[in-house]
Structure formats: structure tokens, C-alpha cells
Amino acid sequence: EYKIWKKNSPFLYDLIMTLALEWPSLSVQWLPDITNPPDKDYSVQRLLLGTHTSDAEPNHLMIAEVQLPKDTATVEVRRYDEERGEYGGFGSVVGKIEIVQKILHPGEVHRARFMPQNPCLIATKTAGPEVLVYDYSKHPSRPAPGGRPNPDLTLRGHTKEGYGLCWSPNVHGLLLSASDDSTVCLWDIKAAGKETKQVEATSVFRGHEGVCEDAQWHQLHEQLFGSVGDDRNLCIWDARAPGAAKQTVRAHEGEVNCLAFSPFSEFILATGSADKAVNLWDLRAIHKPLHSFTHHTDEVFQVQWSPHNETILASSGSDRRVHVWDLANIGQEQSPEDAQDGPPELLFVHGGHTAKVNDFAWNPNEPWMMASVSEDNVLQIFSPAQNITNDSELAPRPPVDDKELEA
């Protein structure tokens, strides 16, 4: 399967870069900044990563710098660099990925997310109940030998570990966290005094029976957020009213692992589940899903909306795939041949990983570019070919002859 993907890659991607990390990362997120070095045919962007090491080795929160070809760079996509395992060499520089900062972290980094209003502040989920906040601008590029983890803030309120973590896009300093203890905690880190390095939860939301897998803020309403859990429920909350969820619905046939609110529509959100489906919801009629995206062959663990395109959504999971979906294609007629490849709304399948995809992220500066990390230590950065995404703003590439692709 992987070998076929490798042979077909030149036709499927405008860019693909691969880095084998020393340890697997359970988390990936693009930092928002972009720099353009003078007289270079690349820009520099940064990624937020973590480690999941063996017990004896220290863990780190990490920042990587990525050199990405500019549109003006001549990308020889058809050229494959065997040694580096990447397509899309450009100019004299093949896209480079380099770890530029490592900050000691207590146990594995379950998830790491930057605060949108101040990207120097990184919140992390740990192997314990605490949520940590690091200001990476206050830490050296490499920890001192024999050093110990030294987070800038420790957030308390949970009794168990977890994965869900989300900063408010609208209110500075508000952070949500989902935990195996079945709760969602809300902190306002502005409550931290100059001297104290610990912050207690402002509110604790109890609406799930069993593990709460994820919690995410609504993108447009500053008081609304959602949570999902192993009880198969989706809960919609008002942050001002921790007593009970505003709405609760049985969302899937299996545990619900993730959710994401559309950044463009105030009523639309998506959930991903152990039942292998991604469900689409309308908050005005939440009793049943608007649509169910089915093509994954194992649990779905992450779902994210494109920040550039309101009909584009992606999902990933244990089947080693990242799927890109286009809501605009739901219900389109298909030939029987096309239907074998998946439903009409399945726009693209990234098949470059050979183990479970732990996390992925859309690039905020480059439409269609994504980064993904898998259990076998691999980080990949990729852009589907323009003729696949068919972005009206981009010049279409001539179609690929089916005979060139290996079945």
C-alpha cells in the first residue's frame, strides 16, 4: 500500500516533506508567524511538537522551523529524493525541517496549543491531571544539562489525565481542557498573580459519564463551547452556566473522540468517533446529524476545519489516513468507478503514514497545506496537487492520465 502511494505521490502532491523525529509526537500545530528571508526562494514557518519517549528518557515541548518553497520557486514535484524521502525539491534547497527549541516537559506531551492572542504562551496536556503553560520566549533553545521541567504556570482542577485542550479564539486567556475524569475545566490565566505559578479552575463542567475526550470553543460565540466523550454524547455548554449542558445529543454509535466548530458558520460543527464516521451537525436542529462522512476504516481521532475554505474539513485516525472532505460535493452524482474510490465529498486521502495519525493541523498561511504526525515518529508536511483541490484562485495543472497512476 505504502509503496503504491510512494510511486503515485508526484501526481498527488504539489509538496510533500517527511522528517523522522527521534520520538513520536502526539501533537502538531503551526505557529501563526511567517518570515521571508531576503533573496531566498523559501519562507520560514514554525511548528509546535511534543515527545512521547520511553520511560527513562526526558520529554520535551518542541518548536521546529520549516523552510517552505515560495510560489515563485520552481518546484520539481516529479523528482523524488530517495535519501530524504520527500518530493518537491526546490531551487538548491530541499524543504528543511529543523528542531530549534526543546523545553523540558514532565512526561509525554499529550497535546500542545498556543494562545491565539499571544502565541508565545503554549498550553500542554501531560500524563498527569495538571495542565501546564509555558512562555517559550522565557526558555533557552536547549535545556540546561540536568535541568528539571519548569512550566510558567500549573493549572489545577482535574483528577486525571486527558487530551482535549482549546484556547478561546475570542477572549484572551481562557482555556478549556477535557479529562478522563469526565469533566471539562475552564481557566482564566489572567487570574494568575505575579508571584503565584498555580491557577485553580474557574469552573468545572460535569455532563459526561466516563472519559471526556475533547472540548472546543465555538469560533464565533465567545461563551459557547462543546464537549464529547466515551458516553457517545455531544454536549453544548454556556461557559457562564456550569450547572448543566444547554444541549446533549447521542452523537455516534461509538465513543466520540473529537469535535470542531466551523470558523465560518455559527451553526455548523463536526464530530469524529470510534464508529469510524465524521458527523456534521447544525446547532439549530441538533437531534440528528446533517450528514455522516464515511470512508475511514478505523477510529477517527481528530477533525479540523480548513481556516481558508468554508466547505473543507479534514479528519484523521487509526487507519493511518488523513481524509480531506468537501461539503460542497455532498450528494453529487458519481460513476460506479468513481464511487469505488469513496463518496463524492471525499476530496483527497493522504496515505503517507504507516502508523496511526496522532494529530494534524492546517497551515494558517498556506491554503491546502497541512502537517501530520504519526505513532511511528514521522512528521509530514504536504499540499495536495492543485488539480485535485481545484482552487479557483490557482492555475489548474493539466490532468493526470489514469494510465500513469499505479492501481
Side-chain angles (χ1 to χ4, degrees):
E1 237 183 22
Y2 176 75
K3 282 178 177 164
I4 292 168
W5 172 82
K6 207 158 129 172
K7 283 222 166 67
N8 289 334
S9 287
F11 308 108
L12 300 175
Y13 298 88
D14 281 346
L15 176 79
I16 178 145
M17 299 161 60
T18 299
L19 178 68
L21 300 163
E22 185 182 2
W23 299 101
S25 180
L26 303 177
S27 180
V28 63
Q29 189 184 27
W30 294 92
L31 286 163
D33 52 280
I34 178 168
T35 54
N36 292 290
D39 307 322
K40 300 289 186 190
D41 58 359
Y42 59 83
S43 63
V44 177
Q45 294 190 47
R46 296 185 304 158
L47 283 170
L48 193 53
L49 300 161
T51 63
H52 181 194
T53 66
S54 60
D55 292 341
E57 296 292 326
N59 280 278
H60 297 94
L61 175 63
M62 302 192 300
I63 293 174
E65 272 189 2
V66 187
Q67 292 180 7
L68 294 165
K70 290 183 180 174
D71 289 343
T72 50
T74 52
V75 180
E76 295 175 42
V77 174
R78 296 275 193 295
R79 195 189 81 217
Y80 183 68
D81 185 328
E82 280 290 347
E83 270 185 32
R84 298 180 67 92
E86 48 198 36
Y87 282 99
F90 56 101
S92 57
V93 188
V94 174
K96 263 176 77 178
I97 308 170
E98 185 185 1
I99 306 292
V100 294
Q101 187 171 11
K102 292 170 89 169
I103 300 169
L104 279 171
H105 189 268
E108 65 260 29
V109 181
H110 282 187
R111 195 155 288 173
R113 296 291 187 256
F114 71 83
M115 193 210 295
Q117 300 84 357
N118 178 3
C120 288
L121 294 184
I122 313 292
T124 66
K125 293 285 284 184
T126 70
E130 295 84 13
V131 173
L132 306 179
V133 178
Y134 289 86
D135 181 341
Y136 71 75
S137 66
K138 294 180 177 172
H139 293 261
S141 61
R142 290 290 186 273
R148 298 174 65 81
N150 183 27
D152 296 280
L153 289 175
T154 299
L155 312 185
R156 301 196 184 280
H158 287 306
T159 57
K160 292 182 181 173
E161 62 183 352
Y163 286 86
L165 190 64
C166 185
W167 289 99
S168 168
N170 297 305
V171 183
H172 182 283
L174 292 189
L175 181 68
L176 287 175
S177 157
S179 165
D180 291 8
D181 65 12
S182 80
T183 71
V184 176
C185 281
L186 168 63
W187 292 274
D188 183 349
I189 67 160
K190 298 189 296 294
K194 283 265 163 55
E195 301 307 312
T196 175
K197 293 183 82 171
Q198 297 194 8
V199 184
E200 297 296 327
T202 313
S203 305
V204 180
F205 300 82
R206 294 179 172 87
H208 289 281
E209 294 177 20
V211 171
C212 181
E213 295 283 2
D214 198 9
Q216 294 289 314
W217 287 102
H218 194 285
Q219 297 293 296
L220 304 167
H221 290 291
E222 64 180 45
Q223 298 296 345
L224 280 188
F225 71 88
S227 63
V228 292
D230 286 1
D231 56 6
R232 300 184 248 176
N233 286 347
L234 160 65
C235 297
I236 305 297
W237 300 85
D238 183 324
R240 295 162 296 191
K246 289 181 59 153
Q247 294 177 296
T248 300
V249 64
R250 175 62 56 90
H252 286 268
E253 295 303 308
E255 295 99 341
V256 193
N257 295 320
C258 50
L259 80 157
F261 287 92
S262 165
F264 295 97
S265 166
E266 64 177 315
F267 301 116
I268 302 299
L269 72 146
T271 53
S273 167
D275 68 8
K276 308 174 192 173
V278 173
N279 282 353
L280 189 67
W281 302 89
D282 184 327
L283 288 173
R284 294 165 296 188
I286 206 167
H287 54 279
K288 64 171 197 209
L290 281 177
H291 185 71
S292 201
F293 299 92
T294 53
H295 193 67
H296 281 289
T297 58
D298 207 338
E299 285 200 51
V300 177
F301 277 101
Q302 185 58 282
V303 60
Q304 302 269 353
W305 292 89
S306 163
H308 305 281
N309 230 312
E310 71 177 295
T311 65
I312 302 297
L313 173 72
S315 56
S316 69
S318 297
D319 61 0
R320 315 185 298 282
R321 302 283 186 264
V322 180
H323 285 27
V324 181
W325 311 90
D326 187 347
L327 278 62
N329 293 342
I330 291 172
Q332 280 194 359
E333 283 189 27
Q334 281 181 302
S335 69
E337 191 184 353
D338 284 346
Q340 287 181 346
D341 293 334
E345 62 270 22
L346 181 63
L347 184 67
F348 184 77
V349 177
H350 174 55
H353 289 288
T354 55
K356 173 190 168 185
V357 178
N358 290 326
D359 197 12
F360 73 88
W362 291 94
N363 186 315
N365 300 303
E366 295 283 342
W368 298 108
M369 186 179 289
M370 301 163 84
S372 52
V373 287
S374 54
E375 275 190 345
D376 57 356
N377 303 25
V378 170
L379 160 68
Q380 290 188 324
I381 293 167
F382 60 95
S383 296
Q386 283 175 22
N387 62 305
I388 295 172
T389 57
N390 201 13
D391 195 322
S392 56
E393 296 168 30
L394 300 170
R397 174 196 275 200
V400 173
D401 187 338
D402 278 352
K403 295 189 190 75
E404 288 193 64
L405 286 177
E406 293 206 5

